[in-house]
Every structure is written in C-alpha cells, then in structure tokens.
Amino acid sequence: MTRVGAYAPVLPLLAVVVLLALPLGPGGEGGAGPADAVSALVVLYCAIRLVRDRRRPLSPAAAVVLGLPVLGIAVAAAGAVSPGEGLVGLGRYLQVFVLVPLAVLLLLRDRADFRLLAWSFVGLAVWQGAVGVHQYATATGASYQGRPVRAVGTFGAQDVMGMATVVSLGLVCAVGLALGSAPVRQRVTALACAALLLPPLAVSFSRGAWIATAVTLVAQLLLSGLRRALSAGAVVVAASVILVGGFGVGTAMLQERISSITRVADAPDQSVTDRYTMWAAATGMWGEHPLAGVGLKGFPEHRDGHSSLALSAGSDTEGAGAAFRKQPLLSPHNMYLLVLAEQGLIGLLALAGSWLALLVCAVRALWRTRRTAGPGLDCGLVASGLLVWQLTDFAYADIGGPSTVLTAMCFGLAAWWGLSDRTGPTAREPAVAVTDARGAAQGAATR
C-alpha cells in the first residue's frame, strides 16, 4: 500500500493511458473517447490538489508558455459559426494544449514519475502493435487497396491513424529510455521494445507517422551524442535488414507505400490529391480572414467554397469489424494550416510560439544535462523526442480521435522536462541519494 501511495499523483495519468488500450467498438465516429473523459477528471483532480496544498503551482515562464495559446483560441471561439461550435472547439483546444499539459506538469514530481509514464506509453504501444500485427497477418484489419490488411489496433477503421500514433510515440519513448543512463537491463528491455514496435508501425501504412518517426529518431540519436548515434544507427540498420530480408516484412504493398512518399508531387494518389486540395482551401480561408481566421470548427463550413473539383466526397473506410462508409473530409490534415484557417495569424503565432518556446526549453535542459553529466538524460531524450514527433507529424495530421489525448500528455511531459524545477524539494531521487549518503556516514561512524 505504501508503494502504491507513493505513486498516487501519477496514477490518474496512467489511467488515461490504460483506457486507450480498450477497444472502442466497430463503427465508432473516431471522436473523443473514455480516455478524454478521464483526462477531464485528471484536470479536476489536479485543481483540487492545488487548492488543498495552497502552493504556487507554476513558474512565470511555465505560465506564459502554456498560457499563450489561450489568446488565439479565445479569439477564434468568439468568431465561430455558432456559439455551440465555438464552445466545443474551445474545450477541445484547451484540453489538448493547455489543461492536460498543465495537469501532467503539476502531477509529475520527479524523474521516477516521468519514467513510469513513459513506460506506460511503451506498454500501450506494444499492446496496440500486437493487435495491429495480428490484424495484418490474419487479414482482419482496415481496408487498404481493397484488402483488409491495414493495422489499426483497437481504434477501428474510422481512426486509421490511432494505432500509428500510439506505436510511434511508444517507439520514441523506448528509444529515449534505451539511450539514457539507466541500468543495463532497463536499456536492453527498452531497445527490445523499440525493435518490436517497428513491424506494427510498418503495417500501419501511415506515411506521415513513418516520416515523423524517422525525423525524431535521428534527432534523438544526435542529441544523445555522436558516438552513441553512430552505434545505435548501426543497430537500427541491422534490425531493418533482418526485418525486411529475414522475416519478409517488406511486402509489395509496403514497398509501394514507401516509394509513394517520393512521388507525391509527380503521381499523387487520391488521398494525396485530397490533402493538397484541402491545404489550398485552408490557405484560401486564411487569405479572406488573415488575423482571426474563420472561427473554431469553421473549416467544414467553408471548405466547399474554397475547394476545387479535385476534392473527393470523402475517404472510403471499412474493415476491422466495421461496415463500409464514406468518411467526410472535415479537416486539412495539417495542424498548422488548420490553425491558420480557423484562428488566423493570432492563433498560429500564439500556438506555434508556445510550441517553439517549449522545444527550446526542452532541448536546452537536455543539453545542460549532457554537459554536466547530470541525471535524467533518458527523460530529456524522451521529452524532446515526443515534442519533435508531434511538431513533425502536425505537418501531415491534426488533432482528432481518441489518441489525441496522448498528444496532450506529450506536451505535458515536454513541459515538465523543460519548465519545471527537477531538482527541487519534491524530487524524490535526490532526497533518496542524500538519505543514503547520511545513512552510510552514520554507519561508518558507528563502526
């Protein structure tokens, strides 16, 4: 009981991750799920703790960085098509970019809590990846090129990016933990988990997730040091050769999907054409409303007026237990353009400014840890890696679906690493070290 009580503040955050392992049921709409509801309770729990403890919760820097998005979100909510849509959009943006990150920042007390949450990301990714590989192997996944082989985990065909997101984030956490200075057994376990997550990421057929993961892994290797980057890079190349050549992971469909990345401009498929068309529509909306955008949740309302005839009626989804349906295209699948269209320059500068400041703080803290050989290198690599992955993936995706709550938690982990006092009196690891040293000194005096 004492050990469980020691982790009481972080347990609600773990509950959010655990709920994402549950199946949502076929035919779901891909919107908010049980994990989102629990995340709201986590925010309430955090607020109650702050009131009870009567302490100043945030440093001025943290308050500015995490509070900056509120400006653009509030302005865009006031200009929404309807008050109801404005309130819904306001709640979602505040949840993902302000409230849940703040709760993560305030509930995590030290590196032990951070690592526990990072390992929960890895565990969730391994579970979802196992389900996804089974779907691919047994042809029970979502439809891809007319065959039910796309791995989607428990998220269903209406949220084909859900499993890819979870597996990518788990892979980033595993690599960060493996590159740290933890005991050898933990680093080997993390490296093994990273290798296990490569096949499910491959059979997710998500080009955006592949690109974001590749960029992030390179960044993590470089941030961990040149020598370590070269040795780890050799391991990754060897693992890729074994997976592709030895186990036949590189099927014709997978190879075709990979090669399509390099010809998106020459011979784009319909999904790429739709994306380009919606990007152009988002840019057109911003051109008409440059400062404040068309308002939260306004992209679907203004899409047809700014789209060409090349835009299809929607994407076809079926498989993984769901019947065929035409899923409407309600966002540009680019977070930066979505913010620009709905919130204008005010919103984009506020949100992107917050993200950039958070990235600078996280990388600076990581660089300082490396330079001083301080503890927590693995935490810094995980936090920086998660943030790099999100900011890269935002060029190909936006928020939406049950896995979005993980995006909020990623920003919270990055905020804890970059903005909190990790050596203060609430950090359990330094306190344990001091206690052990005092105990050793007393024992020596007694002897």
Side-chain angles (χ1 to χ4, degrees):
M1 291 296 295
T2 304
R3 187 174 182 83
V4 174
Y7 288 102
V10 78
L11 290 180
L13 299 174
L14 296 178
V16 175
V17 179
V18 170
L19 284 174
L20 288 174
L22 302 179
L24 299 176
E29 295 297 324
D36 293 281
V38 174
S39 72
L41 296 178
V42 170
V43 173
L44 179 61
Y45 169 72
C46 180
I48 293 174
R49 284 181 60 91
L50 292 179
V51 173
R52 186 193 65 184
D53 296 342
R54 297 181 180 179
R55 62 186 178 89
R56 191 181 70 176
L58 296 172
S59 66
V64 170
V65 171
L66 293 179
L68 187 59
V70 177
L71 173 62
I73 297 171
V75 172
V81 176
S82 68
E85 293 289 346
L87 287 176
V88 171
L90 178 67
R92 187 62 158 167
Y93 274 91
L94 289 179
Q95 173 208 11
V96 177
F97 299 117
V98 181
L99 297 179
V100 174
L102 280 173
V104 175
L105 168 62
L106 296 173
L107 290 177
L108 294 183
R109 297 159 298 171
D110 51 34
R111 291 179 290 274
D113 284 354
F114 186 103
R115 293 186 183 106
L116 182 61
L117 193 55
W119 275 111
S120 73
F121 275 46
V122 177
L124 174 64
V126 170
W127 161 248
Q128 290 288 354
V131 175
V133 169
H134 178 266
Q135 291 170 334
Y136 173 79
T138 59
T140 56
S143 178
Y144 176 74
Q145 294 184 355
R147 297 176 57 188
V149 295
R150 187 167 193 172
V152 292
T154 64
F155 293 96
Q158 276 68 50
D159 187 15
V160 294
M161 287 298 299
M163 191 212 75
T165 298
V166 169
V167 170
S168 298
L169 296 178
L171 178 58
V172 170
C173 288
V175 170
L177 293 167
L179 292 174
S181 54
V184 175
R185 180 179 300 178
Q186 293 184 30
R187 284 187 281 142
V188 171
T189 302
L191 187 60
C193 290
L196 288 174
L197 292 174
L198 290 176
L201 179 61
V203 295
S204 71
F205 295 104
S206 173
R207 292 172 294 202
W210 293 346
I211 295 172
T213 303
V215 170
T216 302
L217 295 186
V218 170
Q220 285 182 304
L221 290 173
L222 293 177
L223 288 172
S224 67
L226 184 59
R227 180 182 301 178
R228 184 170 293 182
L230 293 175
S231 58
V235 172
V236 171
V237 171
S240 301
V241 171
I242 293 174
L243 285 171
V244 175
F247 296 105
V249 174
T251 63
M253 258 190 292
L254 182 57
Q255 293 172 1
E256 189 279 332
R257 188 69 165 174
I258 294 174
S259 63
S260 69
I261 297 176
T262 61
R263 62 171 190 269
V264 291
D266 299 331
D269 54 34
Q270 185 58 49
S271 65
V272 175
T273 300
D274 287 339
R275 186 163 301 191
Y276 286 164
T277 305
M278 291 189 293
W279 287 3
T283 305
M285 295 178 202
W286 169 67
E288 293 185 0
H289 304 82
L291 286 181
V294 297
L296 294 184
K297 296 287 185 177
F299 182 86
E301 186 75 18
H302 295 80
R303 183 200 64 185
D304 293 341
H306 296 83
S307 299
S308 68
L309 296 177
L311 183 65
S312 65
S315 58
D316 299 338
T317 61
E318 64 177 325
F324 174 83
R325 65 170 290 189
K326 183 75 72 171
Q327 190 167 0
L329 304 173
L330 303 178
S331 72
H333 296 291
N334 181 303
M335 191 64 202
Y336 304 106
L337 289 178
L338 178 63
V339 173
L340 191 64
E342 295 188 343
Q343 302 181 37
L345 280 176
I346 296 175
L348 183 63
L349 291 177
L351 265 175
S354 172
W355 300 338
L356 181 60
L358 197 56
L359 180 62
V360 170
C361 291
V363 173
R364 185 177 61 181
L366 173 60
W367 185 259
R368 185 166 57 245
T369 300
R370 270 195 58 200
R371 186 182 57 193
T372 60
L377 177 63
D378 53 347
C379 298
L381 291 172
V382 169
S384 301
L386 291 175
L387 193 53
V388 169
W389 191 92
Q390 288 294 342
L391 298 184
T392 305
D393 186 66
F394 278 167
Y396 309 95
D398 46 50
I399 59 175
S403 61
T404 299
V405 71
L406 281 185
T407 298
M409 298 183 74
C410 289
F411 279 103
L413 287 169
W416 181 87
W417 172 256
L419 298 173
S420 68
D421 181 11
R422 298 177 303 280
T423 59
T426 60
R428 286 176 286 165
E429 290 175 328
V432 171
V434 172
T435 302
D436 291 344
R438 290 176 178 174
Q442 291 176 358
T446 302
R447 289 193 297 271

